[in-house]
Amino acid sequence: MWGPGVCWNGVQLPGRRALVLAWLISQLCSAPAWAQCRILRCNSEFVAAAQDYGGGGEGGAGEREGSHQHTGYCSALRSYAQCTRRTARACRGDLAFHSAVQGIEDLLIQHRCPKAGPGAPPRPPPRPRPAQAPLPGEACSYERAYLQREGRPPRFLHCGVFGDPHVRTFRDEFQTCAVPGAWPLIDNEHLYVQATSAPARPGSPPTADALTSATVLTKITIIFKGSRECVDQQIYQAELGDVPAAFVDGSVSAGGERRGGGGLAVRSLAPGRHAEIVAAHIGATLVVRQTGHFLSLAVRAPEDVVGAFSPEQDLQLCVWGCPASQRLDPPNPHPHPAPALSNSFSLSAARSHCARLLPTEDVYFQACVFDLLATGDANSSSAALAALEDARALLSDTERLHLLPNHAPASAGRPLLLLLALLAQQLLAGLLQDVGHFAR
């Protein structure tokens, strides 16, 4: 344990500086947890709760201590404080988090709110606005029902998971991940999709090298949760070498006899290798492929369906991307001459091969290069090409098709990590200088 500074011949060793250095090192070691910080959710919940009490305590006669408005605002502040405590471990080093904690303390004092007491009650779910009864043939067709209710088509989002694997999220973020085992891609009220991955190079030990840490999709499980009005629960499952054109119970459709004739249907686009599932009752389309030795998934779903999940369902690769500790950095897109990284391809050869297949040096090009280097298999480049074709078919806005590679660090906490590293370096230099002075 670091103790206070030690004096010798009138020179005091910097115990406080050493303590700060130890704290900085502990922060550096726990940096990946920052990516899971949920302070923005705490902020939005507090703003919503405060609005229920007239904007929450900006003064005025209606906010006298003991009034309903004042009591409610204090409850909202206490709930805000509880939320920050729940996410405190994940938010270490997050400046927005520390600002929020300090702001809560100030507001509790300013409005004379006791720190002990009940929090704000949970907000009731929004009441659906009255809508006309669905016309015949629309009850189980999400798109037609939405158009009738809102007067406009729904906004659709796209997620693609392919290759080693690469994830294009519903928010158009792009990541390359090393996620061995089973991981949820989508988990909401209507749909659960799980992908199982295995190392791209079987037998390779875990390593910090992105190419030898890569994994590939070997199994995809899709659960369509039951809707009493439209469909019963159905499960679809694909594995390497078997992309069936039927659900696990052998049926190829479900729910067609119910209101509106929508429901679920599976069709084969290439026997055993390419299937499309249309879920009309939730407006979603899912495409499952096998290209080379990869499985891939492409999803098109309405924004409302994608966002229908609770705070506990916070691990969804298609929504949030993969955990920060599982993200891999792509190869340098503009390399110096390099030796071969696999049995078949050098980096320059991989780039040349992918340039012949893909029209733009976007994230699909970047994924193509990565897959060639990770596997050494020329057929692996077809995964990125197929994913681009699926995105072109499923995206209604063609301007969103090509995503340019983001060369910024993958983790949002990296700028702060760099700052901490520089501070640690300066403190260590000062500590060594003081120790040298002590030795003399």
Side-chain angles (χ1 to χ4, degrees), residues 5 32-33 43 79 153 160-161 166 188 204 223-224 229 245 321 331 351 357-358 397 402 411 434:
N43 295 346
S79 292
V161 185
H166 313 286
N188 59 45
S204 296
I223 300 175
F224 296 93
E229 297 81 7
R351 287 176 52 81
L357 298 176
L358 297 163
D397 181 4
H402 295 289
S411 171
D434 290 331

Side-chain angles (χ1 to χ4, degrees), residues 52-83:
D52 291 341
Y53 301 100
E58 294 299 331
E63 201 187 324
R64 292 186 300 271
E65 187 172 352
S67 70
H68 171 73
Q69 184 181 23
H70 178 270
T71 302
Y73 183 66
C74 289
S75 297
L77 277 174
R78 286 191 289 268
S79 292
Y80 193 10
Q82 292 168 5
C83 185

